[in-house]
Amino acid sequence: MSDSVVIVTGGSRGIGASVCRKLVALGHTILVNYAGNKTAAEAVVSGIVDDGGKAISIQADVGNEADNLALFHAADEEGQLVGLVNNAGVVDMSQRVDEMTYDRLSRMFSINLIGSFICAREAVKRMSTKHGGRGGTIVNIGSAGSKLGSPGQYVDYAASKGAIDTMTVSLALEVAEENIRVNAVRPGIIDTEIHASGGAPDRVAQLQSKLPMKRAGTADEVADAVLWLMSDQSSYTTGAILDVSGGRAILP
Ligand code: NAP
């Protein structure tokens, strides 16, 4: 039997890197996708291999369809795809909607939303029993921003994650009888480099006293939830959106 393979988009840093390290426990070959930081991706691969796991890194911009197709073809070379973690995502500088350019919106939705759709499409083609696959699991990484809306900061980001919530539930129903489960994890404020990439390197420090647990979460705390949803331990869970936010934005 060929190796089972899981793709983690944006696996080189932050939450995605923690997810890659933890998924090794399920025995799959891990495809560590990255956009530009090859050194970080290779470090994740080396750590997994040192721990006795199998992993390779693949550069692909999830906002580009041709890159995504190449990413999935690389997975096919490694074995049978059984899982996808749609984790790659970006924020941008704080702006009001009346300041946002088309280019900004195009980048935001191409990476956070269309990229997740294209990757889900390619995963379903390979995993669905309808297409001759043996089934599998998709976990989308959403955001508490889908409920908070992020006014004055990044309404575009929040809207992209709102669409991820909807896609999760809808796709879960679409493929429920094809042995594919689709779930999401919705993080709150997590201590990663994404905040600096949005021009707010101090965001975690500034917000933590306002958070219900008075601290930000860690990438590992999010990855533990992803691991559960990717494992057989959650075999009757599909269409679920799991808040891993330390209580932030948990009210409907
Ligand atoms: P991060 O530390 O900034 O890491 C982002 C990862 O995504 C990196 O591996 C990066 O690759 C990759 N990436 C970025 N653009 C990409 C593209 N176009 N194609 C492929 N890969 C790309 O982010 P994070 O905080 O771990 O966030 C991960 C996910 O959690 C995102 O979807 C984010 O929206 C969500 N989230 C985060 C928080 C938080 O507070 N941190 C809260 C809610 C939701 P390179 O290393 O090559 O740049």
Side-chain angles (χ1 to χ4, degrees), residues 10 12-13 15 35-37 60-62 87 142 157 161 188 190 192 195:
S12 48
R13 291 183 292 117
I15 293 167
N37 198 332
D61 174 359
V62 299
N87 166 78
Y157 172 82
K161 294 299 187 177
I190 309 300
T192 71
H195 309 289

Side-chain angles (χ1 to χ4, degrees), residues 20-238:
C20 289
R21 292 186 200 103
K22 287 190 184 275
L23 281 180
V24 174
L26 301 182
H28 307 309
T29 298
I30 313 296
L31 254 76
V32 181
N33 160 249
Y34 66 100
N37 198 332
K38 184 174 180 159
T39 305
E42 285 300 320
V44 173
V45 169
S46 297
I48 290 171
V49 171
D50 288 350
D51 288 345
K54 284 182 72 177
I56 60 168
S57 67
I58 303 283
Q59 191 281 332
D61 174 359
V62 299
N64 177 297
E65 184 176 23
D67 278 16
N68 284 330
L69 294 179
L71 172 66
F72 278 80
H73 286 140
D76 295 339
E77 296 294 312
E78 298 300 313
Q80 171 68 46
L81 189 77
V82 297
L84 164 69
V85 181
N86 262 327
N87 166 78
V90 292
V91 293
D92 210 320
M93 302 300 149
S94 284
Q95 279 185 337
R96 287 165 48 96
V97 171
D98 56 16
E99 299 172 299
M100 290 178 185
T101 62
Y102 179 87
D103 284 350
R104 170 187 169 125
L105 294 170
S106 182
R107 170 179 175 268
M108 184 71 71
F109 287 98
S110 293
I111 295 173
N112 291 8
L113 184 56
I114 298 176
S116 295
F117 262 88
I118 298 291
C119 288
R121 179 190 78 192
E122 293 305 310
V124 168
K125 280 187 195 170
R126 287 160 174 79
M127 301 190 309
S128 167
T129 52
K130 188 180 160 200
H131 295 300
R134 64 183 200 221
T137 313
I138 297 173
V139 175
N140 298 317
I141 307 299
S143 170
S146 71
K147 290 205 276 180
L148 294 168
S150 307
Q153 289 186 302
Y154 18 74
V155 171
D156 51 349
Y157 172 82
S160 75
K161 294 299 187 177
I164 289 294
D165 290 355
T166 304
M167 186 265 257
T168 299
V169 175
S170 307
L171 182 60
L173 292 172
E174 191 166 287
V175 297
E177 62 179 84
E178 297 166 29
N179 203 25
I180 299 177
R181 296 184 298 110
V182 185
N183 293 290
V185 169
R186 196 159 47 189
I189 300 292
I190 309 300
D191 194 1
T192 71
E193 293 168 349
I194 200 170
H195 309 289
S197 71
D202 300 330
R203 190 159 186 256
V204 168
Q206 284 168 358
L207 279 177
Q208 56 191 5
S209 66
K210 300 186 181 90
L211 300 175
M213 292 175 69
K214 305 299 174 201
R215 69 170 180 88
T218 66
D220 277 351
E221 288 173 310
V222 179
D224 279 328
V226 176
L227 176 64
W228 180 71
L229 288 169
M230 291 293 288
S231 77
D232 290 342
Q233 302 289 310
S234 60
S235 54
Y236 201 55
T237 301
T238 196

